[in-house]
Amino acid sequence: MRSLRLMMKEQTPLYIFVAVLFLVGVVFGALIVSALTLDQQQELGDYLGNFFVTVDQQGLPAAPDSYWDIAALNLKWIGLIWILGLSVIGLPGILILDFLKGVLIGFTVGCMVSEYSWHGMLFALVSVAPHNLVLIPVLLVGSAAAIAFSLLMIRSQVLGQLRSPVARPFVMYTVLSFGLAVLVLGISGFEAWVTPTMMRWVTPMLVSKG
């Protein structure tokens, strides 16, 4: 446990780097919304309107049914980051995933605000923000650990700068990733059971506005 804490402390600059990369993705995703053509904005508005009407009238899938879909999706992010961290060539992929996650969130929130003003912001706060306040730091910690291990592999295998075995860092990296995966299961439970309830509270306002 002490080794894990020390490892995470040493990776602080990487946390800052991936956090900035994620935030750049968020801004980029929000800017994409303003770059949409009128036809694309109309199609997006129609899609959102139909979605809110469906949620208001029929609700969302039952939590037990949606939980495993949500958990599987979130675990895929953790698993893919872990796999990319094991390879020398996986470093760019980790950075792309962090940027892409930011773009997805920025685009989603941007769409809500663009179409529904402050009502859209309220919906984003209850549907996007709560679980992502924990999920995003988890993904960023996993990404920083993956980048650190990938750099270690580069120094060891490509540059030949390290003579010490990478078995211990690999174990620490894997244990950390496993712990993050367990956290993701808990976050997915919140997203499956609590988030839909909050979404149903806000949806009627969006339907009436539409």
Side-chain angles (χ1 to χ4, degrees):
M1 185 64 68
R2 182 179 179 182
S3 298
L4 279 175
R5 288 199 298 266
L6 180 61
M7 181 184 72
M8 294 178 68
K9 184 177 180 180
E10 292 174 347
Q11 293 170 0
T12 299
L14 291 177
Y15 298 149
I16 298 174
F17 174 74
V18 294
V20 171
L21 182 63
F22 168 77
L23 290 175
V24 171
V26 172
V27 173
F28 185 78
L31 292 176
I32 290 177
V33 178
S34 61
L36 295 176
T37 65
L38 291 177
D39 289 341
Q40 290 172 329
Q41 292 178 10
Q42 182 63 46
E43 290 178 4
L44 182 60
D46 292 341
Y47 172 81
L48 291 174
N50 292 333
F51 171 75
F52 292 133
V53 169
T54 301
V55 172
D56 187 50
Q57 295 179 353
Q58 302 177 15
L60 293 163
D65 297 330
S66 62
Y67 172 75
W68 291 112
D69 292 334
I70 295 171
L73 178 61
N74 291 332
L75 286 174
K76 285 178 182 177
W77 280 89
I78 291 291
L80 185 55
I81 289 172
W82 178 77
I83 291 172
L84 290 173
L86 296 177
S87 62
V88 173
I89 61 174
L91 182 58
I94 300 168
L95 303 179
I96 291 172
L97 284 179
D98 290 334
F99 180 77
L100 180 59
K101 188 67 174 180
V103 170
L104 292 174
I105 292 180
F107 183 79
T108 301
V109 175
C111 288
M112 295 292 104
V113 175
S114 175
E115 291 294 327
Y116 295 95
S117 187
W118 73 270
H119 288 91
M121 176 61 72
L122 179 60
F123 185 82
L125 287 175
V126 301
S127 64
V128 179
H131 57 274
N132 276 308
L133 286 176
V134 181
L135 179 61
I136 295 305
V138 166
L139 293 177
L140 296 183
V141 168
S143 297
I147 292 172
F149 190 79
S150 182
L151 292 174
L152 179 67
M153 295 291 288
I154 292 173
R155 291 198 299 269
S156 175
Q157 296 186 6
V158 179
L159 303 179
Q161 295 178 352
L162 298 179
R163 300 299 180 186
S164 59
V166 297
R168 180 177 175 81
F170 169 74
V171 171
M172 294 171 57
Y173 169 51
T174 302
V175 168
L176 175 62
S177 298
F178 180 79
L180 296 177
V182 173
L183 280 175
V184 162
L185 291 175
I187 299 166
S188 300
F190 182 94
E191 189 175 354
W193 271 275
V194 180
T195 298
T197 300
M198 296 190 294
M199 289 171 63
R200 285 194 292 269
W201 292 343
V202 180
T203 299
M205 289 187 291
L206 299 173
V207 172
S208 61
K209 186 178 185 301

